[in-house]
Amino acid sequence: MEKERVTMNIIPFNLRNNLKPKAKKMAYEIIQHNRTSQKPLVSIITPIFNNEKNIHHTVESVLNQSIGHDHLEYILIDDGSTDNTRNILIKYAEEYPSITLAFLKSNTGTPAFPRNLGMELATSPYLTFLDADDWLEKTGLEKLYSVLEETGDDYVVGRTIKMGMKQPKVMAEHESCIDRRSVSPSSIPHIFHHLGPRARMIKSSIVKKHNLTFPEMKYAEDKQFFIDYLLHAKKISTTTSTVYYLNRSDDNDHSLTKQTNVLKKMHCNMKVMHYFHQKKMEPELKQMVMNRLYEFDCFNQFMHRYYTLRSDDSSYRIKTKDFFKRIAYIRTFRSILNKTAKLNEDVANYVNEPINHICYELFQKKQYKKIEELFKWHKEEKIKQYVIKKNKACMISPLMEPYHLIPIPMYAEVIKIYILDNKFHLHLKIAGDFLDTSAELLFRDRKAIDNEFSVKLSAVSFENAVVKLPISWFQPFSSTVYSIFFRYKEYHKIHILIPHSKAKVQFTDKKKYLFYTTNHHQLALKVE
C-alpha cells in the first residue's frame, strides 16, 4: 500500500494567546499510510525527542497490544530529533498502517505542543498517552477500553509500575488499589495527585467540547491538563490491572539536573496554581485540587528537599553556591505564600500532614535551619522512634517542643509471632486515627509487585489485633521475598514495624516460610 506524505503548516487550534507556539515551531510533516475505512477504537499519542535507544521497546509495546494494532491509531510526534529516531519511525510507518508520524521542523522544548498536535490529529473516540521512554503492558489498552465501553464513564485509570530502581514500585496506589466503576472523582481523595500522562484513557469528545489543551510549559503541563479534564468528568473508573511501565532507570532525587530544575518547576507550578485559583469549582473539589497543588507540590516535592541544598563540600565556592540556592528556595516559597495571601487564602487550609504544618510554622518564623534539620531527619533516618498516647501515634523528631512529637495517621508493630495448630499467629499493636475503618494485611513480592496477596482483618483493637493465617493459605506464594504492609482506607499503607526484638519464625513443609526483621526493623516474609 502506498503511503501518503503531506507537508503543511498547522493552525494553533484555539490555544490561548499566551500559549500559542512561535511560528517557526508550527511547521510539521505528516507521514502515514492510507488507512482502511475501519475507524480506530483508541488513539495513542507519543511525543519523542532523540530517543533512538528506547523507542523500539515503546513502539513494539503498542503494536503488540492484545486489542490488535489494526484497531489502534498510533500517533508519534517527533519534536525535532537530531539522532536516528526519525529513520526508525519511518521504517515502522512503512510497515504498519496504524502508525501516523508528525515530524516537527524544530524542537518546541516541551511535550505540551506535540501532545496537543496529537490530540488534534486523533480520530478515535478515546485518547491515551505513552511517553517515549515507557511501555505498555500487553493487555493494558484492551482493559482500559473495555471499562469505558462497559460503563460509558469519562475516564479510567489503571496500575502503573515504576521500573529501573532497586525494586519496582506501584505508582499512585489510589489509582489501582481496587476496581471502581462509575464513581465521582471527588470520592477518591487523592485523585488529583500523580497526574502524569500514564495508564489513563479519556474521551476525545470531552477534550474537544471544553477545548482542553496542555499549556506550553516545560513542567506541570500534564498536571494542569488532567486536573482540568477531571473537573469536567462526571463519572470515572479505576482498575487493578497493570497498564503501564514507567522507566526510571536513571532516577536520582539528588542528581544535579533535578537540583537545577527544581526552581523552574516551582515557577511552572505557580502558574498552575494561579490558573486554578481563577476557576470556579465546587468547594469540595477546590479543597482537593488545592491540597494537591500546595501540599504535594509546594511541601512534599519542594520544601522536603530543602535539606539537600547543603552539600558536604567545605570549599568556599561550593558553600557560597549552596547559600544562594537556599536563598532562591526561600524566596520562591515566600512568593507562593504571599501570592496566596493576596487572594485572601491561607495555605494552611490546604495542608493535611502534620509535618507540613510544622514546616509552615517554622517558615513563618524564619527558622530555616530547623526546616533543614527536620526534613533531613525525616528522609535519611530509616529507623524512627515512636510513642503512642491515647490510641494516637507520633514520630519522635529531633526538634524541641512543640515540634518534638509529630502525629502520624496510623502505626502498626509486631508484638510476637508464633506457630500453633498449623497457623501463623501474628499479634499486632495498632494505633492511629482510623481504627474503625476496614483494614488488611498485604503481602507484596518485592521483585514482581503484581504478585501480591491480602487478608482482611477483623475489627482492629488498640491493645492488639491477632491475625491467624493457616499455613495452607501461603501455598500459592512463589519463592521470593514479600514486604508486608498494614493497608487501611482502601489504599493507604504502612510497614509493620518490629521495634524491640528480632523476629525469626520459621515453618517448613513443602516450602520453607520465614518471617524475619529487615535492616529497617520492618516485618518481611521469605518463601523458599
Side-chain angles (χ1 to χ4, degrees):
M1 185 180 295
E2 185 177 354
K3 66 177 182 287
E4 178 185 351
R5 189 176 179 114
V6 183
T7 303
M8 64 180 74
N9 286 325
I10 66 170
I11 299 171
F13 35 90
N14 298 321
L15 288 175
R16 291 175 296 281
N17 287 333
N18 64 324
L19 297 180
K20 290 181 180 179
K22 296 178 181 178
K24 69 176 183 178
K25 296 178 182 177
M26 295 165 56
Y28 72 89
E29 182 180 39
I30 296 288
I31 301 176
Q32 64 182 167
H33 282 281
N34 291 314
R35 291 189 62 98
T36 64
S37 58
Q38 178 180 344
K39 188 174 181 179
L41 304 178
V42 179
S43 297
I44 306 99
I45 298 169
T46 296
I48 310 164
F49 177 69
N50 285 351
N51 203 260
E52 61 181 9
K53 180 180 178 181
N54 297 318
I55 195 59
H56 284 290
H57 192 191
T58 302
V59 173
E60 294 288 344
S61 78
V62 174
L63 297 176
N64 292 325
Q65 284 294 295
S66 61
I67 198 173
H69 66 80
D70 290 341
H71 296 296
L72 301 176
E73 178 181 55
Y74 192 15
I75 305 172
L76 298 112
I77 304 94
D78 184 90
D79 198 5
S81 289
T82 56
D83 62 0
N84 197 43
T85 297
R86 291 195 171 189
N87 291 330
I88 295 172
L89 296 179
I90 288 172
K91 289 181 180 179
Y92 276 114
E94 289 173 346
E95 184 175 355
Y96 295 96
S98 57
I99 289 180
T100 296
L101 304 181
F103 288 168
L104 274 67
K105 185 176 181 180
S106 58
N107 182 258
T108 63
T110 167
F113 183 74
R115 289 191 190 124
N116 290 336
L117 175 55
M119 290 193 297
E120 183 72 4
L121 297 174
T123 62
S124 70
Y126 300 118
L127 301 173
T128 191
F129 300 88
L130 173 64
D131 280 350
D133 290 330
D134 306 334
W135 63 95
L136 297 171
E137 199 276 333
K138 187 172 183 178
T139 61
L141 295 185
E142 183 178 4
K143 290 170 181 174
L144 296 183
Y145 174 79
S146 297
V147 171
L148 291 186
E149 285 290 290
E150 165 201 333
T151 62
D153 288 347
D154 299 325
Y155 170 99
V156 62
V157 62
R159 173 173 284 193
T160 294
I161 298 179
K162 184 192 289 188
M163 304 293 291
M165 306 176 72
K166 291 182 179 179
Q167 296 177 1
K169 179 182 179 182
V170 175
M171 291 287 293
E173 299 220 14
H174 64 276
E175 294 177 336
S176 61
C177 62
I178 59 173
D179 285 306
R180 305 179 183 94
R181 296 292 183 268
S182 302
V183 302
S184 167
S186 62
S187 68
I188 307 173
H190 292 87
I191 193 63
F192 296 110
H193 291 229
H194 298 284
L195 287 178
R198 45 163 188 75
R200 52 194 96 243
M201 192 174 287
I202 61 178
K203 286 183 174 179
S204 302
S205 57
I206 291 181
V207 171
K208 293 175 181 177
K209 178 180 178 180
H210 299 285
N211 190 31
L212 302 180
T213 59
F214 290 86
E216 296 282 324
M217 299 189 297
K218 190 171 183 180
Y219 304 104
E221 79 294 332
D222 45 7
K223 169 171 50 189
Q224 179 170 313
F225 175 84
F226 284 109
I227 291 177
D228 236 348
Y229 185 94
L230 283 166
L231 291 175
H232 292 292
K234 292 182 173 59
K235 296 293 181 180
I236 67 173
S237 291
T238 67
T239 174
T240 58
S241 299
T242 296
V243 172
Y244 197 104
Y245 292 93
L246 185 69
N247 180 14
R248 287 294 180 267
S249 58
D250 59 349
D251 195 39
N252 178 4
D253 286 340
H254 300 286
S255 69
L256 290 176
T257 300
K258 291 192 174 183
Q259 292 286 344
T260 302
N261 289 334
V262 68
L263 294 176
K264 293 181 181 178
K265 289 181 181 179
M266 279 310 301
H267 285 295
C268 290
N269 286 335
M270 290 166 69
K271 291 180 181 179
V272 177
M273 291 176 200
H274 177 76
Y275 175 81
F276 285 109
H277 271 301
Q278 307 307 309
K279 292 183 77 73
K280 291 184 178 180
M281 290 180 270
E282 295 293 328
E284 183 179 18
L285 285 174
K286 181 178 180 180
Q287 182 69 30
M288 292 170 64
V289 170
M290 294 305 168
N291 170 261
R292 187 262 145 84
L293 298 179
Y294 284 103
E295 180 145 68
F296 187 83
D297 293 326
C298 299
F299 286 91
N300 296 351
Q301 296 295 309
F302 188 68
M303 287 307 296
H304 278 228
R305 300 180 181 183
Y306 180 69
Y307 78 94
T308 66
L309 303 178
R310 190 187 300 274
S311 65
D312 294 330
D313 194 317
S314 60
S315 67
Y316 176 78
R317 183 180 66 85
I318 297 299
K319 289 178 68 174
T320 302
K321 185 178 180 180
D322 289 349
F323 171 77
F324 283 110
K325 283 182 181 178
R326 294 195 297 275
I327 292 296
Y329 237 76
I330 291 167
R331 286 178 176 173
T332 299
F333 195 67
R334 179 69 64 190
S335 176
I336 293 169
L337 300 187
N338 290 341
K339 289 180 178 180
T340 305
K342 288 180 180 179
L343 297 171
N344 295 318
E345 299 268 16
D346 186 350
V347 170
N349 292 334
Y350 300 120
V351 174
N352 296 329
E353 297 176 22
I355 195 169
N356 290 332
H357 278 286
I358 291 174
C359 173
Y360 181 67
E361 291 180 20
L362 292 174
F363 192 89
Q364 297 290 51
K365 297 175 182 178
K366 299 184 178 180
Q367 296 181 353
Y368 310 125
K369 193 68 173 65
K370 289 186 178 180
I371 294 175
E372 186 177 338
E373 181 182 5
L374 175 67
F375 289 129
K376 183 178 177 63
W377 160 81
H378 190 244
K379 180 67 176 180
E380 297 186 353
E381 182 57 63
K382 302 301 182 183
I383 303 175
K384 295 182 173 62
Q385 302 300 312
Y386 299 86
V387 62
I388 297 174
K389 294 183 178 180
K390 297 181 180 179
N391 291 17
K392 304 294 183 182
C394 296
M395 297 184 291
I396 302 175
S397 85
L399 303 184
M400 301 297 289
E401 293 293 351
Y403 309 123
H404 187 53
L405 298 181
I406 303 176
I408 57 175
M410 289 295 286
Y411 173 83
E413 73 173 61
V414 173
I415 299 174
K416 58 182 176 180
I417 306 177
Y418 57 89
I419 299 170
L420 180 65
D421 298 330
N422 280 327
K423 295 178 182 178
F424 283 109
H425 291 242
L426 282 70
H427 285 243
L428 306 178
K429 185 175 185 180
I430 313 293
D433 301 326
F434 303 102
L435 295 176
D436 57 345
T437 62
S438 60
E440 61 185 358
L441 286 189
L442 174 66
F443 294 75
R444 178 173 286 168
D445 188 332
R446 288 185 180 176
K447 295 181 179 180
I449 53 182
D450 272 342
N451 181 30
E452 62 181 30
F453 302 87
S454 62
V455 56
K456 297 289 184 182
L457 300 183
S458 57
V460 177
S461 164
F462 167 67
E463 287 77 19
N464 61 70
V466 180
V467 184
K468 301 177 183 179
L469 299 175
I471 302 298
S472 59
W473 186 77
F474 295 93
Q475 283 300 316
F477 283 47
S478 54
S479 298
T480 187
V481 174
Y482 293 84
S483 296
I484 306 175
F485 302 96
F486 176 82
R487 186 158 66 178
Y488 63 99
K489 288 188 68 181
E490 291 187 342
Y491 54 84
H492 299 79
K493 71 182 194 307
I494 54 175
H495 284 281
I496 298 174
L497 303 179
I498 310 177
H500 304 302
S501 61
K502 295 288 184 182
K504 190 173 182 180
V505 180
Q506 183 172 303
F507 179 88
T508 301
D509 190 10
K510 294 180 181 179
K511 296 181 180 179
K512 180 186 290 185
Y513 305 95
L514 173 64
F515 282 95
Y516 71 99
T517 309
T518 70
N519 291 335
H520 295 156
H521 289 194
Q522 298 165 355
L523 182 64
L525 171 67
K526 184 176 182 180
V527 180
E528 296 180 347

